[in-house]
Amino acid sequence: MSHIEMPCPDCGAVNRLPQARLGDSPRCGRCRRGLLPSTPVDTDVRRFHAEVEQAPIPVLVDFWAPWCGPCRMVAPALSAIAAERRGQIKIVKVNVDESPQLAVRFSAQSIPMLALFRGGRVVDTVLG
Protein backbone atom coordinates (compact mmCIF):
# COMPACT_ATOMS: atom_id res chain seq x y z
CA MET A 1 0.00 0.00 0.00
CA SER A 2 1.44 3.37 -0.97
CA HIS A 3 1.56 6.21 1.54
CA ILE A 4 1.74 9.96 1.16
CA GLU A 5 3.00 12.63 3.49
CA MET A 6 0.58 15.48 4.02
CA PRO A 7 1.26 18.61 6.09
CA CYS A 8 -1.60 19.76 8.31
CA PRO A 9 -2.97 23.11 7.08
CA ASP A 10 -3.51 24.22 10.68
CA CYS A 11 -0.51 23.10 12.77
CA GLY A 12 1.99 22.12 10.05
CA ALA A 13 2.59 18.60 11.38
CA VAL A 14 3.47 16.12 8.64
CA ASN A 15 1.08 13.16 8.58
CA ARG A 16 1.75 9.86 6.80
CA LEU A 17 -1.43 8.47 5.24
CA PRO A 18 -2.32 5.46 3.10
CA GLN A 19 -3.27 6.88 -0.29
CA ALA A 20 -6.34 4.63 -0.42
CA ARG A 21 -7.77 6.36 2.69
CA LEU A 22 -7.79 9.95 1.37
CA GLY A 23 -11.56 9.76 0.86
CA ASP A 24 -12.10 8.92 4.55
CA SER A 25 -11.70 12.52 5.80
CA PRO A 26 -8.30 12.00 7.48
CA ARG A 27 -7.41 14.03 10.57
CA CYS A 28 -4.09 15.38 11.80
CA GLY A 29 -2.38 13.18 14.38
CA ARG A 30 -1.29 16.24 16.38
CA CYS A 31 -4.19 18.73 16.38
CA ARG A 32 -7.00 16.38 15.23
CA ARG A 33 -8.26 18.84 12.59
CA GLY A 34 -9.20 17.70 9.08
CA LEU A 35 -6.34 17.41 6.61
CA LEU A 36 -8.48 17.80 3.50
CA PRO A 37 -10.59 20.95 3.50
CA SER A 38 -14.27 21.01 2.55
CA THR A 39 -14.05 24.72 1.74
CA PRO A 40 -11.70 26.70 -0.53
CA VAL A 41 -8.32 27.48 1.04
CA ASP A 42 -6.75 30.94 0.74
CA THR A 43 -3.02 30.86 0.07
CA ASP A 44 -0.14 33.18 -0.71
CA VAL A 45 3.41 33.01 -2.05
CA ARG A 46 4.78 31.66 1.21
CA ARG A 47 2.38 28.68 1.41
CA PHE A 48 1.74 28.00 -2.29
CA HIS A 49 4.33 25.21 -2.63
CA ALA A 50 2.95 23.22 0.32
CA GLU A 51 -0.73 23.89 -0.44
CA VAL A 52 -0.63 23.30 -4.20
CA GLU A 53 2.58 21.84 -5.58
CA GLN A 54 2.98 19.19 -2.87
CA ALA A 55 -0.70 18.27 -2.62
CA PRO A 56 -1.35 14.52 -3.02
CA ILE A 57 -4.63 15.17 -4.86
CA PRO A 58 -5.46 17.44 -7.82
CA VAL A 59 -5.73 21.13 -6.92
CA LEU A 60 -7.92 23.70 -8.66
CA VAL A 61 -6.41 27.16 -8.12
CA ASP A 62 -8.66 30.19 -8.49
CA PHE A 63 -6.68 33.34 -9.32
CA TRP A 64 -9.05 36.13 -8.30
CA ALA A 65 -9.41 39.65 -6.86
CA PRO A 66 -12.04 41.09 -4.51
CA TRP A 67 -12.97 43.86 -6.95
CA CYS A 68 -13.68 41.38 -9.80
CA GLY A 69 -17.42 40.75 -10.32
CA PRO A 70 -17.01 37.53 -12.33
CA CYS A 71 -14.61 36.24 -9.63
CA ARG A 72 -17.30 36.72 -6.99
CA MET A 73 -19.80 34.91 -9.25
CA VAL A 74 -17.51 31.86 -9.52
CA ALA A 75 -16.90 31.63 -5.75
CA PRO A 76 -20.14 29.80 -4.77
CA ALA A 77 -19.58 27.12 -7.42
CA LEU A 78 -16.03 26.56 -6.16
CA SER A 79 -17.30 26.27 -2.59
CA ALA A 80 -19.83 23.65 -3.70
CA ILE A 81 -17.12 21.68 -5.54
CA ALA A 82 -14.86 21.79 -2.47
CA ALA A 83 -17.66 20.35 -0.29
CA GLU A 84 -18.86 17.73 -2.78
CA ARG A 85 -15.42 16.50 -3.84
CA ARG A 86 -13.57 16.58 -0.50
CA GLY A 87 -10.66 14.16 -0.69
CA GLN A 88 -10.79 14.10 -4.50
CA ILE A 89 -9.86 17.69 -5.32
CA LYS A 90 -8.66 20.67 -3.31
CA ILE A 91 -9.79 24.21 -4.12
CA VAL A 92 -7.22 26.95 -3.46
CA LYS A 93 -7.76 30.69 -3.90
CA VAL A 94 -4.97 33.14 -4.76
CA ASN A 95 -5.76 36.84 -4.45
CA VAL A 96 -3.72 38.36 -7.29
CA ASP A 97 -3.61 41.77 -5.56
CA GLU A 98 -1.98 40.24 -2.47
CA SER A 99 0.22 37.75 -4.36
CA PRO A 100 1.25 39.44 -7.62
CA GLN A 101 4.32 37.15 -7.84
CA LEU A 102 2.04 34.13 -8.31
CA ALA A 103 -0.08 35.99 -10.86
CA VAL A 104 3.05 36.73 -12.89
CA ARG A 105 4.49 33.22 -12.46
CA PHE A 106 1.32 31.59 -13.82
CA SER A 107 0.46 34.33 -16.34
CA ALA A 108 -2.82 35.23 -14.66
CA GLN A 109 -3.33 38.36 -16.75
CA SER A 110 -7.09 37.93 -16.99
CA ILE A 111 -9.20 36.93 -14.00
CA PRO A 112 -10.88 34.84 -12.91
CA MET A 113 -8.38 32.25 -14.03
CA LEU A 114 -8.68 28.64 -12.91
CA ALA A 115 -5.61 26.40 -13.10
CA LEU A 116 -5.76 22.66 -12.48
CA PHE A 117 -2.62 21.20 -10.89
CA ARG A 118 -1.67 17.51 -10.76
CA GLY A 119 1.61 16.40 -9.27
CA GLY A 120 2.67 20.01 -8.79
CA ARG A 121 2.22 20.95 -12.47
CA VAL A 122 -0.44 22.89 -14.33
CA VAL A 123 -2.36 20.51 -16.58
CA ASP A 124 -5.16 22.86 -17.71
CA THR A 125 -6.32 26.46 -17.38
CA VAL A 126 -9.62 28.25 -17.93
CA LEU A 127 -9.94 32.03 -18.26
CA GLY A 128 -13.04 34.06 -17.49
Side-chain angles (χ1 to χ4, degrees):
M1 179 182 292
S2 66
H3 287 77
I4 58 162
E5 291 186 355
M6 179 180 291
C8 175
D10 293 309
C11 72
V14 177
N15 295 265
R16 190 167 186 256
L17 306 168
Q19 192 156 5
R21 307 260 341 251
L22 286 177
D24 296 343
S25 301
R27 296 193 169 279
C28 175
R30 181 189 297 166
C31 72
R32 309 303 301 159
R33 293 203 175 129
L35 292 174
L36 298 172
S38 60
T39 59
V41 175
D42 291 316
T43 197
D44 55 19
V45 174
R46 182 177 50 83
R47 297 184 324 211
F48 188 83
H49 182 69
E51 292 283 356
V52 176
E53 296 171 322
Q54 290 185 326
I57 59 175
V59 180
L60 183 62
V61 177
D62 175 23
F63 292 91
W64 73 288
W67 48 264
C68 171
C71 297
R72 291 192 310 267
M73 290 173 53
V74 170
L78 294 176
S79 293
I81 291 169
E84 292 170 11
R85 304 284 184 197
R86 182 180 188 174
Q88 299 170 353
I89 190 165
K90 181 178 182 179
I91 309 294
V92 173
K93 298 179 71 70
V94 173
N95 182 331
V96 297
D97 290 340
E98 294 175 357
S99 299
Q101 308 91 323
L102 290 174
V104 169
R105 178 176 168 197
F106 294 103
S107 301
Q109 297 172 351
S110 177
I111 55 172
M113 181 180 113
L114 302 175
L116 180 62
F117 285 74
R118 275 201 182 111
R121 293 201 167 113
V122 177
V123 294
D124 198 7
T125 58
V126 176
L127 296 174

